[in-house]
Amino acid sequence: MSKLLFLHTPHFTPKKLHTKTFSAIVTQSLTPLHCKCRLLSFSLNTTTTRSNSHLLSQIHYYHRSFSVRSFDDSSSETKIQEPQQQAVVNEDYESRGKSKDEDEYPSGEFEYEKFSAWKIFTVKLRMLVAFPWERVRKGSVLTMKLRGQIADQLKSRFSSGLSLPQICENFVKAAYDPRIVGIYLHIEPLSCGWGKVEEIRRHVVDFKKSGKFIIGYVPVCGEKEYYLACACEELYAPPSAYFSLYGLTVQASFLGGVLEKVGIEPQVQRIGKYKSAGDQLTRKTMSEENCEMLTALLDNIYGNWLDKVSSTKGKRKEDIERFINDGVYKVERLKEEGFITNVLYDDEVISMLKERLGVQKDKNLPMVDYRKYSGVRRWTLGLTGGGDQIAVIRASGSISRVRSPLSLSSSGIIGEQLIEKIRKVRESKRYKAAIIRIDSPGGDALASDLMWREIRLLSESKPVIASMSDVAASGGYYMAMAAGTILAENLTLTGSIGVVTGKFNLGKLYEKIGFNKEIISRGKYAEVLAAEQRPFS
């Protein structure tokens, strides 16, 4: 079985991190004669779980530099991610007395390192020759509005919507950009999963290590939004803000009774008692196994929420829970209890920033928004890497083998397209390793198996790491099993707990409406799927 690690998985490489880094994982198989420890080996013989690590955050090993190229599954065109920066591991595992038989995992702790005078000079020269759309006024505040859907794929300059890789990358670039003095973060209702929120929150925390300010503003806020917002140094809300910190729920609805009334009998066959995908059609109430599973997930997310919020705000978990259980409250009470910094309108926050930064009242606060700043290349800021490249292959959405005529060009994981990209990476000599980035609830079993095969072939020739986002379940988890190492966020929903198939028996419905269907066939099992008016024998 592959190694399964519950670790942090960002999309890019900060300037400098702990000596235990992702590069030590990726390049171990590349330089076996130099490696002095069995660090996340790519053999498929152990299972390991661990949390609180920042893994895909540095790509280097023994003065060896790498770049990252990203392949998006959601488009037939290959999107290339700019190269990352060069860095160096400062300490050898052997010097710390580690045995080669010990499993040693990178802490990935982010460390902000100021540029040297020469590096600053080089960056200034690059800014002089930067493209016009990369020009940013000195002393600017980066503004990002996070709301709605956040895609796991890269977005072009002309695409709408938010991109998780670009959001996270902007935090890193802003930390090192001498033109950026801080970040003003607008947070509104989010439609993404907890895994993405966890990753963005971690980058908020990392950004603060640069010494620059980061201020949050929340006009509408629930548990997910507050989980992210409370990581900011200061947090403001307008007097009329909608706050709903009431706790978390999970829900399951059932159509078994409805289908029974209209004469439809769902016949679902499954393997795995926790496979609940067919329960919505066949049952009228929640099964014990499904209840157990959802309760465990809810307890995990809610417990993590209490832990992070209480530690960030310096409160006891009991006090946080008491506040939530009090129910209805006014926004002013959030300030009194220390949940927000102050009650201010957006223009008042901007006026406050102008005063802090010494901007005259009749002048505009210099600002650059998320979309423009996403166009600033890492090269311009001196964060690029060397010639060797690591491919990031992104697989997001439900899984199907081929694209249907009615599907959109950006809908889901198309097996045959992803396989083509995996083969391209396997056959290319410039890619020294690969990361399979997965954000998928599963889907077609055949497509999942074919992609598993290609990932397995890739892992036989190059180091391959599977990185999980919001969800990697069923077929999504199956794909990941072909990699030697699997990484997940603390709040990633992952696992493969069974398979399900079935059909609707419409016999009683046909009787009610007076419909009849007769079949002439040859072959004992010819009617197994054609005869929807009869149950399975």
Side-chain angles (χ1 to χ4, degrees):
M1 179 177 288
S2 300
K3 294 173 179 286
L4 173 61
L5 298 96
F6 291 91
L7 305 175
H8 300 319
T9 54
H11 294 269
F12 47 84
T13 57
K15 174 61 183 174
K16 179 175 166 104
L17 295 169
H18 244 246
T19 54
K20 298 178 182 180
T21 57
F22 168 61
S23 61
I25 300 171
V26 171
T27 62
Q28 180 203 352
S29 297
L30 304 180
T31 55
L33 297 179
H34 296 275
C35 190
K36 303 297 184 179
C37 66
R38 190 164 59 88
L39 174 60
L40 291 187
S41 63
F42 290 85
S43 59
L44 306 179
N45 55 8
T46 56
T47 302
T48 307
T49 60
R50 177 165 174 168
S51 60
N52 196 25
S53 295
H54 207 271
L55 198 51
L56 304 182
S57 48
Q58 180 92 349
I59 301 176
H60 61 267
Y61 188 73
Y62 290 103
H63 300 265
R64 185 173 185 140
S65 59
F66 289 89
S67 298
V68 171
R69 285 180 180 265
S70 181
F71 297 83
D72 231 340
D73 72 287
S74 60
S75 173
S76 58
E77 297 181 0
T78 299
K79 300 180 180 179
I80 303 299
Q81 188 170 330
E82 291 292 330
Q84 305 290 356
Q85 81 284 2
Q86 180 177 1
V88 177
V89 172
N90 301 318
E91 187 175 8
D92 183 22
Y93 282 90
E94 185 71 13
S95 65
R96 298 199 301 274
K98 297 292 183 181
S99 167
K100 67 178 182 178
D101 292 328
E102 290 182 81
D103 278 331
E104 193 63 37
Y105 301 103
S107 69
E109 185 67 22
F110 177 84
E111 294 179 5
Y112 176 80
E113 183 182 80
K114 291 185 178 180
F115 285 165
S116 64
W118 172 251
K119 188 72 170 181
I120 293 174
F121 176 73
T122 304
V123 170
K124 287 182 178 180
L125 285 179
R126 292 182 176 186
M127 288 180 177
L128 290 176
V129 297
F131 295 122
W133 57 82
E134 295 184 89
R135 305 291 169 85
V136 177
R137 183 178 171 184
K138 187 175 181 180
S140 292
V141 176
L142 172 61
T143 62
M144 291 196 286
K145 184 172 288 187
L146 306 181
R147 67 179 175 192
Q149 293 283 349
I150 298 179
D152 204 65
Q153 300 94 347
L154 296 168
K155 297 276 188 178
S156 69
R157 291 177 56 205
F158 308 103
S159 300
S160 60
L162 298 170
S163 164
L164 179 65
Q166 287 160 325
I167 290 172
C168 296
E169 183 182 76
N170 280 352
F171 278 108
V172 173
K173 291 189 298 185
Y176 288 96
D177 194 333
R179 304 167 297 180
I180 300 296
V181 295
I183 294 178
Y184 184 29
L185 201 61
H186 277 242
I187 302 170
E188 298 195 24
L190 297 167
S191 300
C192 61
W194 283 96
K196 292 189 180 75
V197 175
E198 174 82 6
E199 186 163 344
I200 297 172
R201 187 185 194 278
R202 186 172 62 256
H203 284 89
V204 171
V205 174
D206 289 343
F207 176 82
K208 292 192 291 186
K209 297 179 183 179
S210 68
K212 301 178 181 182
F213 70 81
I214 179 165
I215 291 176
Y217 183 77
V218 282
V220 181
C221 185
E223 289 78 16
K224 193 175 289 184
E225 292 73 33
Y226 188 76
Y227 182 75
L228 175 58
C230 70
C232 297
E233 289 177 336
E234 301 174 35
L235 183 59
Y236 298 93
S240 54
Y242 295 142
F243 268 79
S244 55
L245 303 180
Y246 303 138
L248 301 176
T249 63
V250 291
Q251 302 179 37
S253 55
F254 302 95
L255 297 173
V258 176
L259 297 176
E260 183 181 296
K261 289 182 181 295
V262 298
I264 298 176
E265 179 193 3
Q267 292 196 302
V268 175
Q269 301 294 322
R270 68 182 181 186
I271 299 175
K273 64 179 182 179
Y274 291 100
K275 190 66 174 180
S276 59
D279 286 3
Q280 184 180 25
L281 299 175
T282 60
R283 296 185 62 89
K284 300 177 183 178
T285 59
M286 190 181 296
S287 67
E288 291 184 6
E289 293 82 5
N290 194 20
C291 181
E292 177 189 349
M293 178 177 63
L294 294 179
T295 300
L297 293 174
L298 181 62
D299 287 343
N300 180 56
I301 296 173
Y302 186 58
N304 184 84
W305 191 92
L306 290 174
D307 288 339
K308 291 291 181 67
V309 172
S310 61
S311 62
T312 302
K313 292 301 178 182
K315 297 176 178 290
R316 298 185 308 161
K317 287 196 293 185
E318 294 77 8
D319 295 333
I320 302 291
E321 234 176 337
R322 174 188 54 79
F323 181 83
I324 290 175
N325 292 335
D326 282 348
V328 181
Y329 44 80
K330 295 181 179 180
V331 176
E332 286 77 10
R333 190 181 163 197
L334 292 165
K335 177 185 175 182
E336 296 170 2
E337 296 273 356
F339 283 85
I340 63 174
T341 306
N342 205 350
V343 180
L344 295 176
Y345 287 104
D346 178 44
D347 64 284
E348 293 177 309
V349 177
I350 292 176
S351 297
M352 178 190 69
L353 288 175
K354 289 168 66 175
E355 183 178 348
R356 289 185 185 179
L357 299 175
V359 179
Q360 297 180 11
K361 292 184 177 180
D362 58 339
K363 301 290 185 180
N364 291 328
L365 179 70
M367 304 172 83
V368 56
D369 64 16
Y370 156 84
R371 188 136 326 263
K372 179 179 179 180
Y373 198 68
S374 295
V376 176
R377 293 170 297 165
R378 292 179 293 277
W379 178 88
T380 305
L381 302 174
L383 300 176
T384 50
D388 290 338
Q389 296 177 345
I390 294 176
V392 179
I393 305 171
R394 301 185 183 277
S396 181
S398 60
I399 298 170
S400 57
R401 192 174 62 87
V402 296
R403 186 180 303 283
S404 69
L406 300 179
S407 63
L408 301 175
S409 59
S410 60
S411 60
I413 302 170
I414 308 301
E416 63 180 11
Q417 292 182 0
L418 193 67
I419 287 172
E420 183 179 329
K421 292 167 186 176
I422 295 170
R423 287 176 178 172
K424 181 179 179 181
V425 172
R426 176 161 57 93
E427 295 166 359
S428 175
K429 293 183 179 180
R430 61 179 175 175
Y431 299 120
K432 306 305 180 184
I435 300 166
I436 310 296
R437 176 69 176 183
I438 301 172
D439 188 17
S440 172
D444 187 285
L446 172 59
S448 301
D449 185 48
L450 297 177
M451 291 186 291
W452 174 90
R453 173 62 178 172
E454 291 298 328
I455 296 171
R456 185 63 184 272
L457 291 175
L458 176 62
S459 68
E460 290 176 357
S461 60
K462 300 174 183 181
V464 178
I465 291 177
S467 166
M468 297 176 175
S469 184
D470 278 339
V471 59
S474 195
Y477 182 78
Y478 185 25
M479 290 170 56
M481 291 298 292
T485 301
I486 302 173
L487 312 177
E489 290 289 340
N490 290 332
L491 300 180
T492 295
L493 300 181
T494 184
S496 186
I497 54 178
V499 292
V500 62
T501 187
K503 73 168 188 176
F504 288 112
N505 174 18
L506 305 181
K508 292 184 178 179
L509 174 63
Y510 287 178
E511 289 179 11
K512 286 186 177 183
I513 63 176
F515 179 80
N516 185 36
K517 179 178 181 180
E518 295 184 3
I519 302 174
I520 300 174
S521 62
R522 296 292 182 272
K524 182 178 179 180
Y525 296 106
E527 299 181 18
V528 68
L529 296 178
E532 78 278 1
Q533 77 277 22
R534 295 198 305 269
F536 283 128
S537 63

